[in-house]
Amino acid sequence: YFMKHYVSIVILLLVVQTFFTKATFGQRKFELIGQITMKYEGGYVKLISQYGKQFSSLQSDIIDGKFKFNHSINNQYQPAYLEVWHNGTYYSVNFFIQPGKMQIVIDSIGKNPSFNRIKYKNIPFVEIQNKFNKFVKTTEDSIRNFEKYFNSVKLKGDSVLIDSLAKIFLSNSKKLYDKNLEFIKANTNSYFSLFVFTDIYNYLQLN
């Protein structure tokens, strides 16, 4: 299944790597200032770099509805996760950071990204990332719902049904893989495509 896509993937990787290479340089400082609804007062926020540790997990307490991070990165852009922790539970959102001053305002955040209400300032690729999220939303929702059903079946221990559902789950995962690849082909001139490709590459390594 994957071999028929191999050549096109390599070509696409070379294209997006061009942007990555041009963007690589020495360490540059960044500052991320955050504002969040008072619902999470007394909690804390973690900033975690993704795909290559540019920095270890950073942590900032939420005080008066605000938090802040100061550190440095080696690349022009670095994908990262932001985790909001409160009462032992956390919700996360991913975006890119870049050198300089950035701001994020969180009015609402939850397990379902559709309900997130977040504003970004001087944070790169927000528009194309939203475009990507909408592009794959239907497929991801389908997989998420099927996964809940699959997990409930596993608890019952029906091995025959589990094997059958596992094949369907793999088929659904391939659909998401194809959807991601389709997005890359339509956006080869965007650095964000490298981020999408990395997810595809990780999926190939695991399957």
Side-chain angles (χ1 to χ4, degrees):
Y1 173 82
F2 298 118
M3 286 305 295
K4 67 180 181 180
H5 296 301
Y6 182 77
V7 174
S8 61
I9 290 175
V10 171
I11 293 172
L12 289 169
L13 178 60
L14 290 174
V15 172
V16 293
Q17 271 190 329
T18 301
F19 291 91
F20 178 77
T21 303
K22 287 181 179 179
T24 303
F25 56 101
Q27 281 196 342
R28 292 279 297 277
K29 293 182 179 180
F30 72 84
E31 179 180 75
L32 177 62
I33 298 174
Q35 183 176 327
I36 189 168
T37 175
M38 293 299 290
K39 173 183 177 181
Y40 298 100
E41 187 70 15
Y44 59 92
V45 179
K46 286 184 176 182
L47 184 65
I48 306 167
S49 62
Q50 190 178 5
Y51 304 138
K53 287 288 184 182
Q54 292 290 319
F55 48 81
S56 56
S57 175
L58 307 177
Q59 183 171 316
S60 175
D61 292 332
I62 299 173
I63 302 175
D64 295 329
K66 297 178 181 179
F67 57 90
K68 184 166 69 172
F69 297 99
N70 288 284
H71 214 275
S72 60
I73 55 176
N74 294 324
N75 300 326
Q76 178 63 39
Y77 309 112
Q78 174 64 38
Y81 280 108
L82 188 77
E83 296 180 351
V84 178
W85 287 80
H86 189 257
N87 292 334
T89 302
Y90 78 93
Y91 303 105
S92 66
V93 63
N94 62 299
F95 53 88
F96 282 79
I97 56 178
Q98 65 181 353
K101 292 186 177 182
M102 297 167 287
Q103 184 178 14
I104 180 171
V105 179
I106 303 175
D107 294 324
S108 176
I109 186 171
K111 290 183 178 180
N112 189 334
S114 299
F115 297 106
N116 289 352
R117 298 293 179 268
I118 302 173
K119 299 175 183 176
Y120 303 94
K121 184 177 180 180
N122 199 34
I123 291 179
F125 311 124
V126 173
E127 185 175 343
I128 191 169
Q129 188 167 356
N130 288 336
K131 177 182 176 183
F132 171 75
N133 289 338
K134 290 179 181 178
F135 187 75
V136 300
K137 183 181 185 304
T138 301
T139 306
E140 285 188 335
D141 286 348
S142 176
I143 292 175
R144 191 178 294 113
N145 291 332
F146 186 84
E147 187 175 13
K148 289 179 182 178
Y149 172 65
F150 185 37
N151 289 335
S152 67
V153 170
K154 284 198 295 185
L155 291 175
K156 297 177 181 178
D158 187 337
S159 59
V160 176
L161 183 57
I162 289 173
D163 289 342
S164 177
L165 292 177
K167 292 178 182 178
I168 298 175
F169 185 77
L170 179 59
S171 176
N172 288 339
S173 298
K174 289 176 180 178
K175 289 179 182 178
L176 182 59
Y177 163 86
D178 285 336
K179 200 74 174 175
N180 288 358
L181 186 59
E182 184 181 344
F183 181 87
I184 293 176
K185 289 179 178 179
N187 297 274
T188 53
N189 62 339
S190 173
Y191 177 86
F192 181 77
S193 293
L194 179 62
F195 171 78
V196 179
F197 178 85
T198 305
D199 279 347
I200 293 177
Y201 177 77
N202 288 340
Y203 174 78
L204 288 173
Q205 293 293 99
L206 294 173
N207 293 277

